[in-house]
Amino acid sequence: MKKRILIVTHKRDLHADLIIPLLERRGHAPVRLDLNAFPRDYALTQSLGDGRCRSSLRTLPGGEWVDLDEVGAVWVRKAAEYAYPSDDLGAQERAFANQETEQALFSMLYSLECFWMSHPRALRGALWKGEQLKRAARMGFRIPASIVTNSPEAARRFRDDVCGPIIFKAMSTSTLAAERIEAHERVAGGLGTTIVDDEMLGQLEAVSQLSCHFQEYVPKQYELRVTVVGERVFAARIASQDDPRTMVDSRDMSAPIAYSACVLPPEVARRCVDFVRSYDLSYGAIDLIVTPDGDHVFLENNPAGQFLYVQQLVPELAIMEAVADLLCTEAQCPR
């Protein structure tokens, strides 16, 4: 009997929507856990005693009970706010419910002895941008000169030391956390990577309000999105310098810039795989700059980064198929 594959995500995750049929065609019956419907639309039981631990899950109202001992692989895609049967929980009730739900859910998940893509502990450990840069440099990548500070004086000294343009780049999310609050409470939709111009330099006192991330501006020939799936590497070349909207930040998808498949130098490809594996991750989405001189400069790794848009733009990069293959293969490996 084939081991099951558990996908932890939310109802609006198109990645999961498209991967599930690939898993089914490979003979697997994946189990989907949508966190934005949990625990409202699920029943969960974890029983412990006599040296045994049994966990089971089913979708309400009439889904089958799934013995989670049958799970051989877990794909952790995206987090979401929990949902409860009652819509009128007070603030303290919801706060307590969230904590108890997290205890129940992760007590169950962390008890699973299986393959993870990737384990929540590894995902959290891989999030921190400053540590990523230090690790990348130690592993042989060139990195931009960088500073994280809430000292206006330190920011000014950094600007003087760089002797050239610097950028501001959010460390957590370029959306300015807009997705975490109600629409009527939003004051901005996002802030991409931005050149610090003279006007911004005149406002550096604002840095004292919140730690900010500044880097030297690295000249670009083009950029790379490198997706690592297990030992496989998929590199997309991004012609970001072909449009003014993407010269500084290539994430402006309104610009019709070209994406194309690219073969990395073997040492760079190996370094990308080793970097991802150094966190005990089995997946990563790495952003690199290629300079006019051909140097590969590490920017960041997204441990659960999006890949569907890359495959849509570059269909020959079969990332979805690689994800499905890895989950199916590892689910059957003895642990």
Side-chain angles (χ1 to χ4, degrees):
M1 178 179 175
K2 287 190 174 181
K3 288 279 193 174
R4 306 294 292 269
I5 296 170
L6 175 63
I7 301 172
V8 182
T9 186
H10 57 72
K11 285 183 175 292
R12 298 181 301 277
D13 183 11
L14 185 57
H15 289 67
D17 294 344
L18 296 176
I19 288 287
I20 285 173
L22 297 181
L23 298 175
E24 291 172 339
R25 287 202 289 271
R26 287 160 171 78
H28 284 263
V31 180
R32 180 168 178 160
L33 175 57
D34 288 317
L35 295 180
N36 60 338
F38 182 83
R40 183 193 63 210
D41 297 345
Y42 294 87
L44 163 71
T45 299
Q46 184 180 39
S47 303
L48 302 103
D50 299 325
R52 302 179 64 193
C53 175
R54 296 291 299 274
S55 299
S56 55
L57 178 75
R58 78 180 179 107
T59 305
L60 299 174
E64 64 168 326
W65 280 101
V66 176
D67 182 351
L68 295 185
D69 284 343
E70 298 174 1
V71 170
V74 180
W75 183 25
V76 179
R77 259 291 297 161
K78 290 295 179 182
E81 294 290 331
Y82 301 126
Y84 299 98
S86 176
D87 291 328
D88 60 352
L89 295 179
Q92 185 172 356
E93 290 173 315
R94 178 168 290 276
F96 178 65
N98 286 343
Q99 290 181 344
E100 291 295 286
T101 297
E102 195 144 276
Q103 279 285 339
L105 176 63
F106 286 97
S107 289
M108 175 191 75
L109 292 178
Y110 278 36
S111 299
L112 301 180
E113 298 177 1
C114 64
F115 172 77
W116 290 79
M117 193 174 77
S118 295
H119 199 286
R121 286 193 297 264
L123 289 170
R124 182 163 179 79
L127 283 176
W128 316 112
K129 296 301 192 293
E131 191 279 334
Q132 283 190 17
L133 290 167
K134 178 181 177 181
R135 184 178 300 222
R138 187 175 71 240
M139 297 182 72
F141 280 108
R142 175 183 161 186
I143 64 169
S146 307
I147 188 172
V148 177
T149 185
N150 64 348
S151 165
E153 294 77 15
R156 290 191 185 93
R157 285 197 300 272
F158 176 75
R159 169 65 175 81
D160 293 340
D161 291 343
V162 166
C163 298
I166 64 171
I167 60 167
F168 166 82
K169 182 179 180 182
M171 293 178 284
S172 55
T173 170
S174 62
T175 67
L176 303 182
E179 71 280 3
R180 290 179 172 264
I181 60 175
E182 297 296 331
H184 69 274
E185 296 179 307
R186 296 172 188 167
V187 296
L191 177 64
T193 302
T194 305
I195 293 281
V196 179
D197 58 19
D198 290 341
E199 181 180 356
M200 293 177 68
L201 285 172
Q203 299 173 351
L204 278 182
E205 289 302 319
V207 169
S208 64
Q209 301 292 321
L210 181 71
S211 292
C212 294
H213 180 207
F214 299 101
Q215 291 184 322
E216 66 169 317
Y217 176 74
V218 177
K220 306 170 184 178
Q221 181 184 165
Y222 56 89
E223 297 180 58
L224 292 168
R225 177 73 163 199
V226 180
T227 306
V228 176
V229 183
E231 290 287 320
R232 300 177 68 181
V233 177
F234 302 87
R237 174 174 172 154
I238 307 169
S240 60
Q241 303 309 287
D242 289 354
D243 191 294
R245 289 170 288 182
T246 53
M247 285 183 171
V248 177
D249 190 333
S250 65
R251 293 172 292 185
D252 187 341
M253 301 306 290
S254 69
I257 57 174
Y259 281 64
S260 57
C262 178
V263 177
L264 295 178
E267 67 277 10
V268 176
R270 185 69 252 169
R271 199 174 296 144
C272 288
V273 173
D274 290 345
F275 183 87
V276 170
R277 288 174 63 88
S278 74
Y279 288 102
D280 290 328
L281 299 170
S282 50
Y283 173 91
I286 296 174
D287 294 324
L288 303 176
I289 287 171
V290 178
T291 69
D293 294 330
D295 287 343
H296 290 74
V297 182
F298 177 94
L299 296 179
E300 64 179 280
N301 175 50
N302 305 277
Q306 309 287 60
F307 61 82
L308 182 57
Y309 79 97
V310 176
Q311 188 163 347
Q312 289 172 332
L313 292 166
V314 192
E316 59 264 44
L317 296 180
I319 304 171
M320 286 195 301
E321 291 75 10
V323 168
D325 288 342
L326 183 63
L327 289 170
C328 291
T329 299
E330 293 293 341
Q332 301 310 119
C333 291
R335 303 285 164 189

